[in-house]
Amino acid sequence: MKNIVILISGRGSNMEAMIAARDAGRLPVNIVAVISNRPDAAGLETAQRSGIEAHYIDHKAFVGREAFDAALAECIDGYRPDLVVLAGFMRILTEGFVRRYEGRLMNIHPSLLPAFPGLHTHRRALEEGVRIHGCTVHFVTPTLDHGPVIIQAAVPVLDGDDEDSLSARILEQEHRIYPQAVRWFAEDKLSLEAGRVRLALDAATPAALVAPEVR
Ligand code: GAR
């Protein structure tokens, strides 16, 4: 079974979704550690309660991104993970860090990339008046919120939506697609060809998981 390390910065609901999927037998991975850049991240306690080793490396204690990323990489590498999962990890990573984990560093972003990279995606989607919004799991490249797309889910933007209602509808989809993406990785179904993700499908992969239904 593959080992994964999850990086968080806050509440860690995507991490929780992976723990739940693992416990339900839907995610065949060992979650070997959870690491936060914030000492007060609520997700650290959740991880510990599930018996997962949880650490924090406070980015404020470091001068510059290089020094923080070096400490983070040292902690990660101690677990020899096959995959590093960014789950609400709100730090810009250095190019050196990203290259070190090339092809085995995943991120979830709350928009249909390449639309709305960066912060406040739901507010910006509402301001733009888009009718469809969503979330994306992708392999990480040195460009922020960019990289080969693994899976996306779309939701309609409804009249009367505010940031809270829209983000709740999207979070539900995040919790569905992120464990799915990690599962594909764990099952060696993902490969990269010319900067794009190729998914090895078999009869057991329902089409609905490849093209999530718009509700
Ligand atoms: C999630 O909505 C995730 O997509 C977003 O932060 C939230 C973390 O929630 N990530 C980013 O914006 C990264 N650019 P969680 O801590 O409950 O998983």
Side-chain angles (χ1 to χ4, degrees):
M1 216 163 1
K2 289 193 169 36
N3 292 333
I4 70 169
V5 166
I6 304 179
L7 306 188
I8 61 168
S9 295
R11 91 194 133 175
S13 72
N14 276 288
M15 171 203 76
E16 257 185 283
M18 282 187 212
I19 296 171
R22 180 203 63 180
D23 291 348
R26 285 184 283 111
L27 186 55
V29 296
N30 297 317
I31 305 174
V32 288
V34 169
I35 306 169
S36 167
N37 64 310
R38 291 185 179 276
D40 59 351
L44 286 174
E45 257 190 60
T46 315
Q48 273 168 344
R49 274 203 306 275
S50 300
I52 299 167
E53 287 188 32
H55 305 274
Y56 67 82
I57 302 173
D58 187 352
H59 64 272
K60 293 197 189 108
F62 294 84
V63 180
R65 293 190 189 280
E66 301 281 348
F68 170 74
D69 281 8
L72 181 60
E74 197 182 325
C75 185
I76 293 170
D77 291 351
Y79 289 96
R80 301 189 163 277
D82 299 286
L83 177 68
V84 178
V85 170
L86 306 180
F89 188 68
M90 304 305 277
R91 288 283 303 169
I92 293 174
L93 295 163
T94 56
E95 176 159 359
F97 183 95
V98 172
R99 297 261 181 245
R100 183 186 194 97
Y101 301 105
E102 203 159 9
R104 54 194 187 101
L105 183 60
M106 261 185 211
N107 182 44
I108 188 153
H109 184 73
S111 77
L112 291 172
L113 290 174
F116 308 119
L119 297 174
H120 310 302
T121 55
H122 307 315
R123 186 189 310 166
R124 286 155 59 211
L126 288 166
E127 280 166 7
E128 292 292 343
V130 298
R131 287 299 187 188
I132 302 282
H133 189 37
C135 47
T136 303
V137 179
H138 65 97
F139 283 115
V140 176
T141 64
T143 309
L144 182 69
D145 296 328
H146 172 272
V149 171
I150 300 165
I151 185 170
Q152 295 182 300
V155 304
V157 180
L158 304 176
D159 291 343
D161 259 339
D162 58 17
E163 260 183 271
D164 287 346
S165 60
L166 188 53
S167 80
R169 196 176 310 118
I170 288 171
L171 199 60
E172 210 178 291
Q173 294 300 315
E174 293 187 32
H175 296 166
R176 194 173 68 83
I177 66 171
Y178 213 179
Q180 175 63 70
V182 173
R183 181 177 177 148
W184 281 332
F185 185 93
E187 294 172 341
D188 290 320
K189 287 193 173 144
L190 301 177
S191 54
L192 278 167
E193 275 174 32
R196 285 183 188 217
V197 172
R198 201 180 145 85
L199 174 62
L201 290 178
D202 56 36
T205 309
L209 292 174
V210 185
E213 169 193 2
V214 177
R215 286 190 290 158

